[in-house]
Amino acid sequence: MPSNSSDKLDRAVAQARAARDDREKGYREKALKLYPWVCGRCGREFERKNISQLTVHHRDHNHDNNPSDGSNWELLCLYCHDNEHSRYLDASYGDVIPDKQKSAATHNPFEKLAEMMKGYKDN
C-alpha cells in the first residue's frame, strides 16, 4: 500500500515538473524571439552556442504572469539573474522592527576632544 501512494506522488511531481518545463519553454521561446540576445543588466551579448546562459526574468517575480507582449520579461545572463533574485530576497526581509521609527545617532565620540587637546597645544 505505501508504494502505491508513493507512486501516485511520484507521478504527480513528474507531471507538475513537466507542466512547468512546458510553460517555461513557451515563454522562453517567445522572449528570445522578442528581444535581442543581450543581458538587460550587464550588456553581455549571446550567440547560439551560449544562449543557454541567457535566462528569462519575470519583472514582477510571478512566473505565471506571462503576457504575450513580453512586458513582464527581461533577458538576463545567469549571473545577473541570480543577483536579481538575491536582491529580491534580501529586500523581502525588510526591517526587523518596522513599527519603530529609526532615530539618528545621538552619541558624539568627539564631544570632549577639544577639552582633551588643550593640554597638548602647549607642547
Side-chain angles (χ1 to χ4, degrees), residues 80-95:
C80 292
H81 199 175
D82 284 347
N83 180 266
E84 176 62 27
H85 280 274
S86 294
R87 291 177 345 138
Y88 182 74
L89 286 173
D90 290 347
S92 70
Y93 292 125
D95 291 334

Side-chain angles (χ1 to χ4, degrees), residues 26-66:
Y27 68 73
R28 177 175 168 73
E29 294 304 316
K30 288 178 186 176
L32 290 174
K33 288 179 183 174
L34 283 172
Y35 296 111
W37 294 358
V38 175
C39 176
R41 298 291 160 85
C42 69
R44 180 177 166 200
E45 295 181 16
F46 292 83
E47 300 172 352
R48 285 215 183 276
K49 65 181 179 181
N50 64 351
I51 195 68
S52 64
Q53 297 174 10
L54 189 61
T55 64
V56 179
H57 172 66
H58 289 80
R59 295 172 193 259
D60 69 357
H61 296 269
N62 178 356
H63 290 250
D64 293 323
N65 182 9
N66 294 304

Side-chain angles (χ1 to χ4, degrees), residues 2 5 7 17 23-24 28 30 47 54 58 69 97:
S5 63
D7 290 342
R17 287 183 178 158
R23 188 172 58 244
E24 286 178 358
R28 177 175 168 73
K30 288 178 186 176
E47 300 172 352
L54 189 61
H58 289 80
D69 66 352
I97 307 173

Side-chain angles (χ1 to χ4, degrees), residues 4-17:
N4 189 19
S5 63
S6 177
D7 290 342
K8 284 183 180 180
L9 178 61
D10 289 343
R11 278 191 301 252
V13 169
Q15 287 174 345
R17 287 183 178 158

